[in-house]
Amino acid sequence: AQTVTQSQPEMSVQEAETVTLSCTYDTSESDYYLFWYKQPPSRQMILVIRQEAYKQQNATENRFSVNFQKAAKSFSLKISDSQLGDAAMYFCAYRSAEEYGNKLVFGAGTILRVKS
Amino acid sequence: GAVVSQHPSRVICKSGTSVKIECRSLDFQATTMFWYRQFPKQSLMLMATSNEGSKATYEQGVEKDKFLINHASLTLSTLTVTSAHPEDSSFYICSAWAAFLREQFFGPGTRLTVL
């Protein structure tokens, strides 16, 4: 079974600074997807960024980028120029590409606090 | 887009009663929907996978007679918490698989409080 580990229960960052959230995963599959989701106080899950395992290039979405290290099974999220609206709980998630409409496996989450 | 709604957003009920939560995909058809439970400051725990026209697949440790799931149409799945007790109080989130985007989209969640 696949597992996702987020070892940082909480992180803090100063506004306009950069922060990196860590995520490692374990799988025996070769083809899969990795995600970072944001859950603000409203508790609506928002997809931040998605990485396909067969793509070597790291995904980027504006101020959000990932460092995907397939061999090390590591998938960290970098948030640049942090904003107060980035404060939320962030979840790393894994999904197998081998089945259609497959379920997500979530990490425990990291609470990100942004200081003004 | 791919919008998923949940109803109700909040519900308070007495112990022993049953509560139904609806999950709708508003602008797409979803053959598969997922139900999650989330405690404060914790991760989402998958309860079951709901497939249109067939029985739901429950995760280990989830009581299927306690949490009844029905996926009767391509846009609606329901979760019924039967004979609810205070320990069932939680935040319940659904998601729907949007095949055309190959992605899951989440509903806004339902906060259940059992008195």
Side-chain angles (χ1 to χ4, degrees):
Chain A
Q2 296 82 23
T3 59
V4 177
T5 302
Q6 292 179 251
S7 58
Q8 304 156 317
E10 291 192 25
M11 292 284 284
S12 290
V13 63
Q14 200 69 34
E15 202 175 1
E17 298 289 302
T18 296
V19 65
T20 298
L21 307 184
S22 302
C23 173
T24 58
Y25 59 95
D26 189 28
T27 184
S28 59
E29 298 175 335
S30 58
D31 197 13
Y32 48 87
Y33 299 90
L34 295 166
F35 306 85
W36 279 98
Y37 283 91
K38 171 184 177 181
Q39 188 180 42
S42 68
R43 303 191 78 169
Q44 172 73 58
M45 295 288 284
I46 301 166
L47 177 64
V48 175
I49 201 163
R50 160 183 165 151
Q51 175 79 44
E52 296 164 32
Y54 65 87
K55 290 186 177 179
Q56 292 187 341
Q57 187 173 6
N58 289 324
T60 63
E61 285 289 340
N62 300 313
R63 297 183 295 107
F64 299 87
S65 62
V66 298
N67 183 1
F68 173 48
Q69 301 290 327
K70 191 172 184 179
K73 295 180 182 174
S74 171
F75 183 61
S76 61
L77 174 70
K78 185 172 83 171
I79 305 174
S80 304
D81 186 25
S82 297
Q83 300 175 359
L84 294 177
D86 295 333
M89 193 150 185
Y90 286 81
F91 294 101
C92 179
Y94 171 102
R95 192 183 86 219
S96 170
E98 296 179 3
E99 290 186 38
Y100 183 79
N102 209 351
K103 59 188 181 183
L104 289 164
V105 178
F106 286 96
T110 297
I111 296 172
L112 177 65
R113 305 189 193 280
V114 181
K115 301 175 184 177
S116 59
Chain B
V3 181
V4 177
S5 70
Q6 273 184 250
H7 179 78
S9 57
R10 290 174 178 260
V11 57
I12 301 173
C13 68
K14 293 182 179 179
S15 186
T17 61
S18 294
V19 174
K20 181 186 284 188
I21 302 170
E22 294 185 347
C23 177
R24 293 183 185 273
S25 54
L26 297 184
D27 49 4
F28 66 100
Q29 293 183 332
T31 55
T32 303
M33 292 184 175
F34 302 89
W35 286 96
Y36 299 86
R37 182 173 182 176
Q38 185 182 32
F39 292 107
K41 295 189 178 181
Q42 293 189 23
S43 188
L44 281 70
M45 183 196 80
L46 180 66
M47 299 174 66
T49 302
S50 168
N51 295 296
E52 187 268 336
S54 64
K55 289 184 179 180
T57 303
Y58 289 82
E59 295 298 302
Q60 192 172 7
V62 177
E63 301 174 59
K64 57 183 67 177
D65 294 331
K66 171 79 173 173
F67 300 99
L68 301 179
I69 291 172
N70 184 282
H71 194 158
S73 79
L74 288 172
T75 59
L76 174 64
S77 176
T78 60
L79 168 68
T80 301
V81 183
T82 62
S83 187
H85 288 95
E87 58 265 30
D88 298 323
S89 298
S90 189
F91 194 69
Y92 292 86
I93 303 174
C94 74
S95 70
W97 172 255
F100 68 108
L101 291 174
R102 302 185 68 187
E103 201 53 73
Q104 277 189 42
F105 289 86
F106 288 83
T110 296
R111 183 179 303 281
L112 170 63
T113 303
V114 185
L115 302 176

